[in-house]
Short mmCIF file of all heavy atoms in Angstrom, two decimals:
data_model
loop_
_atom_site.label_atom_id
_atom_site.label_comp_id
_atom_site.label_asym_id
_atom_site.label_seq_id
_atom_site.Cartn_x
_atom_site.Cartn_y
_atom_site.Cartn_z
N PRO A 1 1.04 0.23 -7.19
CA PRO A 1 2.44 -0.42 -6.92
C PRO A 1 2.35 -0.89 -5.47
O PRO A 1 1.79 -0.33 -4.58
CB PRO A 1 3.40 0.64 -7.11
CG PRO A 1 2.78 1.60 -8.01
CD PRO A 1 1.36 1.58 -7.64
N PRO A 2 3.17 -1.88 -5.09
CA PRO A 2 3.33 -2.36 -3.74
C PRO A 2 3.63 -1.17 -2.81
O PRO A 2 4.48 -0.30 -3.06
CB PRO A 2 4.45 -3.37 -3.77
CG PRO A 2 4.49 -3.83 -5.20
CD PRO A 2 4.14 -2.69 -6.00
N GLY A 3 2.95 -1.12 -1.69
CA GLY A 3 3.25 -0.10 -0.69
C GLY A 3 2.38 1.13 -0.82
O GLY A 3 2.34 1.93 0.06
N TRP A 4 1.71 1.28 -1.94
CA TRP A 4 0.94 2.43 -2.15
C TRP A 4 -0.47 2.24 -1.48
O TRP A 4 -0.99 1.23 -1.36
CB TRP A 4 0.59 2.64 -3.60
CG TRP A 4 1.74 3.35 -4.37
CD1 TRP A 4 2.99 3.27 -4.07
CD2 TRP A 4 1.57 4.19 -5.53
NE1 TRP A 4 3.76 3.95 -5.03
CE2 TRP A 4 2.96 4.51 -5.81
CE3 TRP A 4 0.56 4.69 -6.22
CZ2 TRP A 4 3.10 5.40 -6.98
CZ3 TRP A 4 0.78 5.54 -7.31
CH2 TRP A 4 2.09 5.88 -7.69
N ASP A 5 -1.08 3.38 -0.91
CA ASP A 5 -2.35 3.32 -0.21
C ASP A 5 -3.40 3.59 -1.26
O ASP A 5 -3.22 4.23 -2.31
CB ASP A 5 -2.45 4.24 0.93
CG ASP A 5 -1.54 3.99 2.04
OD1 ASP A 5 -1.68 2.83 2.55
OD2 ASP A 5 -0.66 4.68 2.42
N VAL A 6 -4.60 2.99 -1.10
CA VAL A 6 -5.70 3.20 -1.99
C VAL A 6 -6.90 3.80 -1.12
O VAL A 6 -7.05 3.62 -0.03
CB VAL A 6 -6.26 1.86 -2.52
CG1 VAL A 6 -7.52 2.05 -3.31
CG2 VAL A 6 -5.18 1.09 -3.33
N ILE A 7 -7.47 4.93 -1.75
CA ILE A 7 -8.55 5.59 -1.16
C ILE A 7 -9.89 5.30 -2.00
O ILE A 7 -9.97 5.73 -3.09
CB ILE A 7 -8.39 7.17 -1.16
CG1 ILE A 7 -7.11 7.50 -0.49
CG2 ILE A 7 -9.51 7.79 -0.47
CD1 ILE A 7 -6.82 8.98 -0.48
N PRO A 8 -10.68 4.39 -1.26
CA PRO A 8 -11.85 4.02 -2.07
C PRO A 8 -12.89 5.26 -2.08
O PRO A 8 -12.91 6.10 -1.22
CB PRO A 8 -12.47 2.95 -1.18
CG PRO A 8 -11.87 3.09 0.08
CD PRO A 8 -10.57 3.67 -0.04
N LEU A 9 -13.63 5.39 -3.14
CA LEU A 9 -14.48 6.55 -3.40
C LEU A 9 -15.94 6.29 -2.79
O LEU A 9 -16.66 7.34 -2.68
CB LEU A 9 -14.45 7.06 -4.76
CG LEU A 9 -13.15 7.42 -5.32
CD1 LEU A 9 -13.29 7.88 -6.76
CD2 LEU A 9 -12.42 8.57 -4.42
N HIS A 10 -16.27 5.05 -2.64
CA HIS A 10 -17.75 4.83 -2.33
C HIS A 10 -17.90 4.65 -0.81
O HIS A 10 -18.78 5.20 -0.19
CB HIS A 10 -18.34 3.65 -3.11
CG HIS A 10 -18.26 3.87 -4.65
ND1 HIS A 10 -19.09 4.84 -5.24
CD2 HIS A 10 -17.62 3.23 -5.54
CE1 HIS A 10 -18.87 4.79 -6.52
NE2 HIS A 10 -17.83 3.87 -6.82
N THR A 11 -17.19 3.69 -0.28
CA THR A 11 -17.30 3.39 1.15
C THR A 11 -15.87 3.29 1.69
O THR A 11 -14.91 2.90 1.06
CB THR A 11 -18.06 2.16 1.47
OG1 THR A 11 -17.32 1.12 0.81
CG2 THR A 11 -19.47 2.18 0.96
N GLY A 12 -15.77 3.81 2.96
CA GLY A 12 -14.35 3.68 3.53
C GLY A 12 -13.39 4.80 3.18
O GLY A 12 -12.20 4.83 3.57
N THR A 13 -13.92 5.86 2.51
CA THR A 13 -13.05 6.96 2.12
C THR A 13 -12.42 7.63 3.32
O THR A 13 -11.18 7.80 3.38
CB THR A 13 -13.82 7.93 1.28
OG1 THR A 13 -14.52 7.36 0.27
CG2 THR A 13 -12.90 9.02 0.67
N GLN A 14 -13.18 8.02 4.26
CA GLN A 14 -12.66 8.79 5.51
C GLN A 14 -11.73 7.96 6.28
O GLN A 14 -10.62 8.41 6.61
CB GLN A 14 -13.84 9.29 6.33
CG GLN A 14 -13.31 10.22 7.42
CD GLN A 14 -12.74 11.46 6.85
OE1 GLN A 14 -13.27 12.24 5.97
NE2 GLN A 14 -11.49 11.87 7.35
N GLU A 15 -12.01 6.70 6.37
CA GLU A 15 -11.14 5.85 7.14
C GLU A 15 -9.80 5.64 6.50
O GLU A 15 -8.78 5.65 7.12
CB GLU A 15 -11.82 4.40 7.41
CG GLU A 15 -13.03 4.45 8.31
CD GLU A 15 -14.24 4.76 7.51
OE1 GLU A 15 -14.21 5.06 6.34
OE2 GLU A 15 -15.42 4.90 8.23
N ALA A 16 -9.76 5.50 5.11
CA ALA A 16 -8.59 5.43 4.33
C ALA A 16 -7.80 6.64 4.43
O ALA A 16 -6.54 6.65 4.67
CB ALA A 16 -8.92 5.07 2.92
N MET A 17 -8.39 7.75 4.35
CA MET A 17 -7.77 9.09 4.49
C MET A 17 -7.05 9.30 5.84
O MET A 17 -5.91 9.70 5.99
CB MET A 17 -8.60 10.15 4.04
CG MET A 17 -8.96 10.23 2.65
SD MET A 17 -9.73 11.77 2.05
CE MET A 17 -10.85 12.33 3.31
N ASP A 18 -7.77 8.91 6.85
CA ASP A 18 -7.34 9.00 8.19
C ASP A 18 -6.11 8.18 8.44
O ASP A 18 -5.05 8.56 9.14
CB ASP A 18 -8.39 8.59 9.24
CG ASP A 18 -9.56 9.59 9.37
OD1 ASP A 18 -9.42 10.67 8.85
OD2 ASP A 18 -10.66 9.16 9.86
N LEU A 19 -6.13 6.92 7.96
CA LEU A 19 -5.03 6.08 8.03
C LEU A 19 -3.81 6.68 7.38
O LEU A 19 -2.64 6.54 7.82
CB LEU A 19 -5.20 4.76 7.45
CG LEU A 19 -4.19 3.67 7.49
CD1 LEU A 19 -3.68 3.32 8.80
CD2 LEU A 19 -4.53 2.46 6.72
N ILE A 20 -3.91 7.17 6.17
CA ILE A 20 -2.86 7.76 5.35
C ILE A 20 -2.28 8.99 6.14
O ILE A 20 -1.00 9.18 6.21
CB ILE A 20 -3.29 8.22 3.99
CG1 ILE A 20 -3.58 6.90 3.16
CG2 ILE A 20 -2.28 9.04 3.32
CD1 ILE A 20 -4.30 7.20 1.84
N VAL A 21 -3.07 9.79 6.61
CA VAL A 21 -2.57 10.99 7.48
C VAL A 21 -1.88 10.46 8.71
O VAL A 21 -0.65 10.99 9.00
CB VAL A 21 -3.86 11.90 7.97
CG1 VAL A 21 -3.40 12.98 8.83
CG2 VAL A 21 -4.46 12.53 6.63
N ARG A 22 -2.25 9.42 9.44
CA ARG A 22 -1.65 8.88 10.60
C ARG A 22 -0.21 8.46 10.20
O ARG A 22 0.74 8.69 10.79
CB ARG A 22 -2.44 7.86 11.29
CG ARG A 22 -3.56 8.49 12.19
CD ARG A 22 -4.11 7.40 13.12
NE ARG A 22 -4.51 6.17 12.42
CZ ARG A 22 -5.73 5.89 12.03
NH1 ARG A 22 -6.66 7.04 12.03
NH2 ARG A 22 -6.07 4.79 11.41
N LYS A 23 -0.16 7.65 9.03
CA LYS A 23 0.98 7.21 8.73
C LYS A 23 2.09 8.24 8.22
O LYS A 23 3.34 8.21 8.54
CB LYS A 23 0.85 6.19 7.47
CG LYS A 23 0.25 4.82 7.95
CD LYS A 23 -0.22 3.89 6.82
CE LYS A 23 0.66 3.85 5.62
NZ LYS A 23 0.13 2.79 4.70
N ALA A 24 1.54 9.34 7.47
CA ALA A 24 2.33 10.42 7.12
C ALA A 24 2.99 11.17 8.33
O ALA A 24 4.07 11.52 8.33
CB ALA A 24 1.56 11.23 6.23
N ILE A 25 2.17 11.37 9.35
CA ILE A 25 2.55 12.15 10.47
C ILE A 25 3.54 11.42 11.30
O ILE A 25 4.51 11.89 11.72
CB ILE A 25 1.28 12.61 11.32
CG1 ILE A 25 0.33 13.43 10.64
CG2 ILE A 25 1.74 13.12 12.71
CD1 ILE A 25 0.97 14.81 10.15
N ALA A 26 3.34 10.12 11.32
CA ALA A 26 4.33 9.27 12.11
C ALA A 26 5.67 9.20 11.32
O ALA A 26 6.76 8.90 12.03
CB ALA A 26 3.80 7.76 12.15
N GLN A 27 5.78 9.64 10.08
CA GLN A 27 7.08 9.53 9.27
C GLN A 27 7.80 10.93 9.22
O GLN A 27 8.80 11.10 8.56
CB GLN A 27 6.76 9.00 7.84
CG GLN A 27 6.30 7.62 7.82
CD GLN A 27 6.05 7.10 6.38
OE1 GLN A 27 6.32 7.66 5.49
NE2 GLN A 27 5.43 5.93 6.35
N LEU A 28 7.10 11.90 9.90
CA LEU A 28 7.76 13.24 9.97
C LEU A 28 9.15 13.07 10.58
O LEU A 28 9.31 12.26 11.54
CB LEU A 28 6.93 14.22 10.81
CG LEU A 28 5.64 14.70 10.11
CD1 LEU A 28 4.81 15.54 10.91
CD2 LEU A 28 5.89 15.42 8.80
N PRO A 29 10.13 13.94 10.05
CA PRO A 29 11.46 13.82 10.65
C PRO A 29 11.56 14.10 12.17
O PRO A 29 10.63 14.83 12.63
CB PRO A 29 12.18 14.92 9.88
CG PRO A 29 11.34 15.56 8.89
CD PRO A 29 9.95 14.95 9.11
N VAL A 30 12.54 13.58 12.86
CA VAL A 30 12.56 13.73 14.25
C VAL A 30 12.56 15.16 14.72
O VAL A 30 11.89 15.54 15.66
CB VAL A 30 13.92 13.08 14.72
CG1 VAL A 30 14.06 13.29 16.28
CG2 VAL A 30 13.89 11.53 14.42
N GLY A 31 13.22 16.02 14.00
CA GLY A 31 13.31 17.43 14.38
C GLY A 31 12.13 18.27 13.96
O GLY A 31 12.12 19.53 14.20
N PHE A 32 11.14 17.64 13.41
CA PHE A 32 9.93 18.50 12.86
C PHE A 32 9.26 19.15 14.15
O PHE A 32 8.93 18.46 15.16
CB PHE A 32 8.80 17.64 12.27
CG PHE A 32 7.93 18.30 11.48
CD1 PHE A 32 8.06 18.70 10.02
CD2 PHE A 32 6.60 18.58 11.95
CE1 PHE A 32 7.12 19.39 9.42
CE2 PHE A 32 5.57 19.28 11.27
CZ PHE A 32 5.86 19.70 9.95
N PRO A 33 9.00 20.47 14.09
CA PRO A 33 8.42 21.16 15.26
C PRO A 33 6.98 20.67 15.61
O PRO A 33 6.18 20.52 14.82
CB PRO A 33 8.23 22.62 14.86
CG PRO A 33 9.21 22.62 13.69
CD PRO A 33 9.30 21.37 13.06
N LYS A 34 6.89 20.19 16.88
CA LYS A 34 5.60 19.67 17.41
C LYS A 34 4.42 20.55 17.17
O LYS A 34 3.26 20.20 16.98
CB LYS A 34 5.75 19.26 18.80
CG LYS A 34 6.79 18.04 19.10
CD LYS A 34 6.24 17.03 19.89
CE LYS A 34 7.38 16.05 20.17
NZ LYS A 34 7.31 14.96 19.26
N ASP A 35 4.73 21.88 17.33
CA ASP A 35 3.65 22.88 17.13
C ASP A 35 3.10 22.91 15.65
O ASP A 35 1.99 23.40 15.36
CB ASP A 35 4.14 24.25 17.49
CG ASP A 35 4.40 24.40 18.99
OD1 ASP A 35 3.98 23.56 19.70
OD2 ASP A 35 5.00 25.38 19.35
N ASP A 36 3.89 22.45 14.73
CA ASP A 36 3.56 22.42 13.31
C ASP A 36 2.83 21.11 12.88
O ASP A 36 2.29 21.12 11.65
CB ASP A 36 4.84 22.56 12.42
CG ASP A 36 5.36 24.06 12.57
OD1 ASP A 36 4.63 24.93 13.06
OD2 ASP A 36 6.57 24.23 12.18
N ILE A 37 2.84 20.17 13.70
CA ILE A 37 2.11 18.92 13.35
C ILE A 37 0.58 19.09 13.06
O ILE A 37 0.10 18.61 12.05
CB ILE A 37 2.41 17.82 14.49
CG1 ILE A 37 3.79 17.42 14.39
CG2 ILE A 37 1.46 16.56 14.28
CD1 ILE A 37 4.18 16.38 15.48
N PRO A 38 -0.13 19.79 13.92
CA PRO A 38 -1.60 19.99 13.50
C PRO A 38 -1.71 20.74 12.18
O PRO A 38 -2.65 20.33 11.35
CB PRO A 38 -2.09 20.92 14.62
CG PRO A 38 -1.17 20.60 15.74
CD PRO A 38 0.16 20.40 15.19
N LYS A 39 -0.89 21.74 11.91
CA LYS A 39 -0.99 22.39 10.48
C LYS A 39 -0.70 21.44 9.40
O LYS A 39 -1.29 21.40 8.29
CB LYS A 39 0.01 23.51 10.48
CG LYS A 39 -0.42 24.80 11.30
CD LYS A 39 0.51 25.90 11.06
CE LYS A 39 1.61 25.76 12.03
NZ LYS A 39 2.58 27.06 11.98
N ALA A 40 0.30 20.57 9.57
CA ALA A 40 0.69 19.58 8.58
C ALA A 40 -0.37 18.61 8.31
O ALA A 40 -0.82 18.28 7.20
CB ALA A 40 2.00 18.86 8.93
N ARG A 41 -0.97 18.15 9.55
CA ARG A 41 -2.17 17.27 9.33
C ARG A 41 -3.28 17.80 8.64
O ARG A 41 -3.93 17.26 7.73
CB ARG A 41 -2.58 16.85 10.78
CG ARG A 41 -3.75 15.81 10.83
CD ARG A 41 -4.07 15.58 12.27
NE ARG A 41 -3.09 15.37 13.27
CZ ARG A 41 -2.50 14.18 13.52
NH1 ARG A 41 -2.99 13.10 12.99
NH2 ARG A 41 -1.55 14.03 14.32
N LEU A 42 -3.67 19.03 8.92
CA LEU A 42 -4.69 19.72 8.24
C LEU A 42 -4.48 19.96 6.84
O LEU A 42 -5.34 19.71 6.01
CB LEU A 42 -5.05 21.15 8.96
CG LEU A 42 -6.14 21.94 8.40
CD1 LEU A 42 -7.48 21.31 8.44
CD2 LEU A 42 -6.21 23.35 9.14
N LYS A 43 -3.28 20.37 6.41
CA LYS A 43 -2.89 20.59 5.06
C LYS A 43 -3.00 19.38 4.19
O LYS A 43 -3.57 19.33 3.13
CB LYS A 43 -1.54 21.21 5.01
CG LYS A 43 -0.96 21.44 3.52
CD LYS A 43 -1.52 22.62 3.03
CE LYS A 43 -0.79 22.99 1.73
NZ LYS A 43 -1.49 23.84 0.86
N LEU A 44 -2.58 18.21 4.68
CA LEU A 44 -2.65 17.01 4.07
C LEU A 44 -4.03 16.49 3.90
O LEU A 44 -4.42 16.09 2.79
CB LEU A 44 -1.75 15.89 4.86
CG LEU A 44 -1.81 14.51 4.24
CD1 LEU A 44 -1.24 14.54 2.77
CD2 LEU A 44 -0.92 13.51 5.05
N THR A 45 -4.80 16.59 4.91
CA THR A 45 -6.17 16.31 4.81
C THR A 45 -6.97 17.08 3.85
O THR A 45 -7.70 16.48 3.03
CB THR A 45 -6.92 16.51 6.41
OG1 THR A 45 -6.18 15.60 7.26
CG2 THR A 45 -8.35 16.03 6.26
#
């Protein structure tokens, strides 16, 4: 569907995952504890 990200399995996999993680972290709520961001990034990855 429009707006969904695609993760290719042959080439560009890591780059696509990195982009998705960056976008997800950028969308965390304003009050999200900064100390928890690395844990959230690791869990999503």
Side-chain angles (χ1 to χ4, degrees):
W4 282 31
D5 292 303
V6 175
I7 302 174
L9 299 179
H10 298 294
T11 59
T13 306
Q14 189 61 51
E15 293 83 1
M17 290 192 323
D18 291 344
L19 177 63
I20 292 168
V21 170
R22 281 195 306 273
K23 286 171 40 177
I25 296 300
Q27 294 176 11
L28 288 172
V30 175
F32 194 86
K34 297 224 183 275
D35 290 344
D36 291 341
I37 291 175
K39 288 187 272 186
R41 182 185 314 269
L42 180 61
K43 176 81 171 157
L44 178 57
T45 301

